[in-house]
Structures are given as C-alpha cells and as structure tokens.
Amino acid sequence: MRSDLMKKGANRAPQRSLLRALGLTENEMKRPFVAVVCSASDYIPGHKHLQGIADAVKDGIRSAGGVPFEFQTIGVCDGLAMNHKGMKYSLCSRELIADSIEVMLTAHPLDAAVFIPNCDKIVPGMLMAACRMNLPSVFVSGGPMLPGEYKGVRMGLSEMFEAVGSYAAGKIDENELNAIEKSACPGCGSCSGMYTANSMNCLTEAIGLALPGNGSIPAVFAGRIRLAKEAGEQVMELYSKDIKPSDILTPKAFENALRSEMALGCSTNTVLHLTAIAHEIGVPLDINLIDRISRETPQICKLSPASKVFLTDLDKVGGIPAVMKELSRNGLINLDIPTVRGTVRERLENAPDADGDIIRKVENPFSKDGGIAVLKGNIAPEGSVVKQGAVAPEMMRHKGPARCFDSEEDATAAIQSRKIKEGDVVVIRYEGPKGGPGMREMLTPTASLTGMGMGSSVALITDGRFSGATRGAAIGHVSPEAAAGGIIALIRDGDMIDIDIPERKLELLVGDGELAKRRAEWKAPHKELKGYLKRYAELVTSGSRGAVFKD
C-alpha cells in the first residue's frame, strides 16, 4: 500500500502516533487509506451541498473496507465572478487546484481517491490532479441544478444574464428583472443548462472516470446520494485491481469524450480543459484533432442555452449512456476500452435507445457536424472556437465592420449604452491567458447582445473565453492572443471581418502590407500585475494549447 510510506515499520511510529490522534483503530491502520477530495463551499450553489455527497462517498468507502480521509479544495463560481476582476482568477484556479491536490496527496501518501467537484474549473483541475497522481480514482459530481421557471417558461442562468440586456434595452422594467432574478436558480447544483460545469461532468462520465449518471442525475435527487455511495465502493474495487487513470485515459477514451462533446453541443471551454487533461496524462490531443472529430460527429442533442431542454430532461431519457449508445450505432464510439466499472460496451448494453426527440437518431441530427467548430484564418492561425450548435442560422456566415475594445468592461459599456449596431463584429482583445491575464469569460457582453435583440445580427470575437451559457456567433480562444502579438491586436475600427463557420474560416480583410505597417507601430499595453496573476501570466501558454503552464 502506498500509505505504508507513512504508517509501516518501527521508523513510522511517530506518524502512526499522529494517525492514532485522529481516532484510528488498529484494524483501520491495516486498511487502505482513501482520499476524499471535495470542493464544498458555502457560497457556490453548485457546491453548497457537496458535504452531503462527501459523507455518502465515505460511507461507501467504509462499507467496502477502506478508511476515508477528506480534504477540501478552493473553487470559483464563474457566475459570481463574471464581468469583474474576479473572473481573471477563474481559469487560473484550475492550476492551483491541481497543484494543491498534488501537495496533499504527496505529503500524505494515500492509496486511492474519490474526487467530488461540480463547477467549471474545479472539475478539470481535479482531473488534471488525478492524472498527475495516477492513483485508483473515481469522480462523482454534485449534479445539475433543476431549471427555474418564470411565467410558465423554464429557464436557467443564461436567461438571467440576457434579462439584463433586455432591461438595458428598455424591454423589461426593474420589477420584472427582479422577478426573473428570483426564479432563474431554484436551488443547489451546477447551473441547469449545458454550460461548462455540466459539460465537464458529462465528459468525465463519457471518458470513463465516473459512473453512469454522473453528468445528469439532479443534485437534489436521492439517486445522487446513491451514486456517491457507489463511487466510494467502486474506488475500492479499482484499488484491489490496481486500475489507475492512466489505464483508462487512453487516446480512444479521449476520442469518446470528444465525440460526446460534439454530439451534446458542450461548452467551448471543454476544448481548453480536455487539451490540458490530455497534456497532463501524456495523450496527444490538439486543436486539429478536435476539428476533425467535429466534422465527423453529428450533433444529436440541443440543450440550454441552445434550446429549452435541460440536463434534467436528458437524464430522464437515459443521460450520457444513451447518447453514446446512439453514436455507437454509427461506429463513433470505442466500445472495448475500460472505465471505472466495466468496459464502455458493458456500460452501454443496458442504456435506453435514443428517444428521437431530446436525443435524436444519428439519421436525423440537429446538425451533421459537431456542436463545436474550430475556425482558422489570418486572425486565428492557431485556431479559435465557436459553439456553432447555439448560433442562429443567419449568423453562420457573417461579414461586418470591427468595433474594437481592449477590455470586456469597455465592450459591455458600449453594448449596454446601445453604441453597437446591427451587422457589427465586436472585437474584445487583451483578455487572453497571458494578456488578461486569466482568459476571462465573456457572458455579460454576449448575453447583453442577445437580451437587446442583436444576437442574430452582431458577432463577437475575443482572445478570451465564453461561458457555456453563451449563445450566438461568439468566437473565442483566438490564438495567438493580442498580448502575444496576434493579428487580433492589429484590428482597427471599421476593418471588415469575414466569418464563415461552415467553412471554418475567420479572416480579417486587410492587406498584408497594411498589417505589416500596423505591426511596426504596435505595442502591447502595460498591465501592472502582482501576486498569483503575475506568476500566472509569466507561466501560461496559448489557449490553443489548453492554457497549460510551460513545461
């Protein structure tokens, strides 16, 4: 046992003395020690209830013969951090979470681990740590929030942000804004649509590190507690067989996750996170592979914010196993590879068939290609991403004049003061991993455009990111970023930008000679940084590489 490093032999009597101070019995000293890594928090709705999940996991571990030890990680709620300085720390927190878990599980060597995340950067941060530590591991999330409802129409957080735009446009008054505010988020859980948190929880299931139901069983259902107990029991089975993340996270497993991502229409942030997780485990995965899989995989689900279908609806018709089973009918899923319990083939045998509505048949998809598209061109030679499954048909091709802003705040102010016109292409730069720093999400400007009625007439491109709650022609992760001298830094107001999502093109219609002249005059704006943001900006790489740290 790995835990013997701190509990076996005469020389470890001092360590055993400290363990006995915790109340451990002689019998427990001989059992496997299992980490329960939890991100419970009093002020994140997706994490408010995670202590109950952790208690159920520990019950499962004990019933299967292990000794659980819980510790907690930090976590940022992207919704609370949105549109102010706090969002600069969201993506940054992913690396801190991975590093802190490495610290804890190296300083206190345990034998296996159950990870309990639920929201945006916490899920990939824990996945990266699981890869790095390579202990027998199972993930169990806190589950999605139930959708809210206002005037008989179900809704989620994305509609709440859009309501702010409607208020700015004078479409609703303050009383109605307040009523929507009280209706959008009815209780605990990760926000109800296929935003980043639910995307990553679904993909953790698809890649094989979580049990069926991890991505879709609602937070408030008893099934979530049962799943947590099963996760605690199953990690002991993995320990007994010495099955580790490196045995599960193979190239074929990542391909399954990417196929599921495209079929579900997940958040564009999953491109960043899957790339970073693959880097951590040593699996080759780049934006070109993601683009190829996108072109080959039909989108068979259209969930909020692209529709009024929520995670709870997906759960009722079979969840992720049913989606993967339908993809497998077209030979798009690798079946004979391991998961934390059995093979993918065994997992899908008892899954229900696609219902034809929430999960469409592959012969009748919402789109013949995936929910995420990778665009390239002179603005983004290393790539950019768009959630094409949430783009209005009339915006799949768009040509318009640039309106340039060097921060999210400036762009939001211009949008909400109605200075953006139909047909414009809003450009938000110096918000990339290095330039932000922190690669902020841009839900406020995109939701404002939608709420003001311009979601089907105005495009937005940025070297920052978009929330999974974003819909519309919102193109993010433009690489190279402005701070690294990318072409996005050279765009000027009035320049024509050509967007062609079906052809995967993002072009600035300015000649090379003029761009060379602008480059000679260009200088990146100076930002006075300190603390963790300063270190992050010095270490982080391009968004096209998953915004991982330099090796």
Side-chain angles (χ1 to χ4, degrees):
M1 287 189 286
R2 186 170 177 268
S3 58
D4 285 347
L5 288 170
M6 64 177 178
K7 67 179 184 180
K8 189 174 183 179
N11 288 341
R12 294 295 183 259
Q15 286 89 336
R16 289 195 298 276
S17 180
L18 290 168
L19 291 170
R20 292 184 192 282
L22 299 174
L24 266 64
T25 67
E26 197 69 40
N27 193 31
E28 286 177 314
M29 286 285 196
K30 300 173 184 176
R31 295 178 181 175
F33 285 4
V34 182
V36 178
V37 187
C38 182
S39 55
S41 167
D42 276 350
Y43 62 93
I44 302 179
H47 294 217
K48 174 72 174 174
H49 63 304
L50 291 191
Q51 191 58 60
I53 301 291
D55 290 342
V57 166
K58 289 188 282 189
D59 287 344
I61 291 169
R62 290 191 186 97
S63 70
V67 182
F69 293 87
E70 180 185 350
F71 68 90
Q72 296 183 344
T73 71
I74 62 168
V76 172
C77 174
D78 280 19
L80 294 174
M82 200 70 69
N83 198 228
H84 59 83
K85 183 180 178 181
M87 180 51 76
K88 293 178 182 289
Y89 288 84
S90 172
L91 183 60
C92 298
S93 72
R94 186 185 71 180
E95 269 57 36
L96 281 178
I97 290 165
D99 288 349
S100 65
I101 294 169
E102 176 191 353
V103 168
M104 287 294 287
L105 292 183
T106 304
H108 316 113
L110 304 188
D111 302 302
V114 177
F115 293 88
I116 310 172
N118 210 31
C119 290
D120 299 65
K121 310 309 162 298
I122 298 94
V123 185
M126 288 190 180
L127 283 164
M128 291 165 68
C131 294
R132 194 178 300 175
M133 300 310 299
N134 204 30
L135 299 172
S137 299
V138 177
F139 278 68
V140 56
S141 76
M145 183 185 295
L146 297 176
E149 186 173 322
Y150 178 69
K151 290 185 175 180
V153 178
R154 294 189 307 166
M155 63 184 303
L157 187 65
S158 56
E159 286 85 358
M160 185 64 249
F161 273 90
E162 290 168 10
V164 175
S166 296
Y167 174 74
K171 293 183 176 183
I172 61 173
D173 62 18
E174 188 171 355
N175 288 333
E176 187 163 12
L177 181 67
N178 183 256
I180 297 171
E181 172 188 327
K182 293 175 179 177
S183 305
C185 300
C188 67
S190 48
C191 296
S192 54
M194 187 54 86
Y195 313 150
T196 304
N198 288 327
S199 294
M200 287 307 303
N201 287 327
C202 288
L203 296 187
T204 303
E205 182 179 336
I207 210 167
L209 276 185
L211 295 170
N214 180 72
S216 61
I217 297 173
V220 296
F221 282 16
R224 180 61 53 177
I225 298 297
R226 291 194 295 270
L227 187 71
K229 290 179 181 177
E230 289 177 19
E233 293 168 352
Q234 191 60 31
V235 79
M236 298 306 299
E237 181 73 12
L238 295 175
Y239 168 76
S240 70
K241 296 179 179 178
D242 195 30
I243 297 174
K244 300 182 290 292
S246 59
D247 300 311
I248 295 170
L249 297 182
T250 62
K252 288 183 178 181
F254 276 94
E255 184 175 327
N256 282 353
L258 288 168
R259 299 281 186 197
S260 301
E261 171 187 54
M262 299 306 170
L264 290 162
C266 289
S267 164
T268 52
N269 284 315
T270 57
V271 173
L272 276 177
H273 300 322
L274 287 176
T275 304
I277 295 159
H279 175 267
E280 199 72 55
I281 202 72
V283 168
L285 194 162
D286 62 25
I287 207 158
N288 295 314
L289 173 62
I290 294 169
D291 182 48
R292 176 178 68 77
I293 288 177
S294 171
R295 292 173 185 269
E296 297 172 352
T297 310
Q299 183 176 357
I300 58 175
C301 293
K302 194 177 279 281
L303 300 156
S304 173
S307 76
K308 292 298 182 183
V309 178
F310 292 86
L311 264 292
T312 50
D313 303 312
L314 180 64
D315 186 64
K316 290 175 183 176
V317 296
I320 303 308
V323 173
M324 295 178 72
K325 183 177 182 179
E326 182 60 24
L327 290 177
S328 72
R329 289 183 54 242
N330 228 31
L332 295 174
I333 293 294
N334 297 298
L335 296 171
D336 296 315
I337 60 173
T339 73
V340 291
R341 187 167 67 193
T343 65
V344 174
R345 184 184 299 278
E346 291 167 340
R347 177 172 290 197
L348 302 189
E349 281 176 353
N350 295 321
D353 294 334
D355 69 312
D357 181 19
I358 292 171
I359 304 172
R360 285 194 178 181
K361 301 289 185 179
V362 291
E363 295 86 1
N364 180 38
F366 289 100
S367 172
K368 292 183 179 179
D369 55 358
I372 294 175
V374 175
L375 311 186
K376 289 190 174 183
N378 61 352
I379 296 178
E382 293 178 10
S384 61
V385 295
V386 61
K387 189 172 183 175
Q388 66 171 339
V391 177
E394 58 267 37
M395 290 298 290
M396 293 296 282
R397 290 183 172 89
H398 179 79
K399 185 185 294 184
R403 294 294 308 278
C404 300
F405 303 92
D406 289 350
S407 73
E408 179 192 0
E409 287 85 353
D410 289 348
T412 299
I415 292 167
Q416 294 187 351
S417 59
R418 311 187 77 169
K419 294 179 180 178
I420 302 301
K421 307 301 181 185
E422 290 188 3
D424 284 349
V425 179
V426 176
V427 177
I428 306 178
R429 58 198 175 194
Y430 300 108
E431 290 285 9
K434 187 177 295 291
M439 205 178 186
R440 285 195 288 183
E441 288 186 347
M442 306 289 168
L443 178 56
T444 298
T446 57
S448 294
L449 286 170
T450 299
M452 296 174 79
M454 292 191 289
S456 58
S457 62
V458 173
L460 193 154
I461 68 172
T462 181
D463 52 8
R465 302 179 294 126
F466 292 111
S467 165
T470 290
R471 57 189 174 118
I475 301 163
H477 307 196
V478 169
S479 299
E481 62 176 291
I487 293 291
I488 191 172
L490 308 181
I491 302 173
R492 294 181 179 175
D493 282 353
D495 288 348
M496 296 301 291
I497 293 176
D498 188 15
I499 299 167
D500 191 332
I501 295 174
E503 294 299 321
R504 306 295 202 267
K505 291 181 180 179
L506 180 62
E507 292 283 343
L508 175 65
L509 303 181
V510 173
D512 291 343
E514 173 63 20
L515 289 176
K517 178 182 176 182
R518 293 181 189 181
R519 184 171 295 285
E521 300 169 351
W522 171 78
K523 185 178 180 181
H526 174 72
K527 293 187 177 182
E528 195 66 43
L529 302 175
K530 60 183 180 180
Y532 180 53
L533 279 185
K534 181 177 182 179
R535 298 197 301 275
Y536 184 86
E538 291 171 350
L539 292 171
V540 72
T541 60
S542 166
S544 64
R545 294 180 57 191
V548 298
F549 281 171
K550 298 173 185 176
D551 290 329

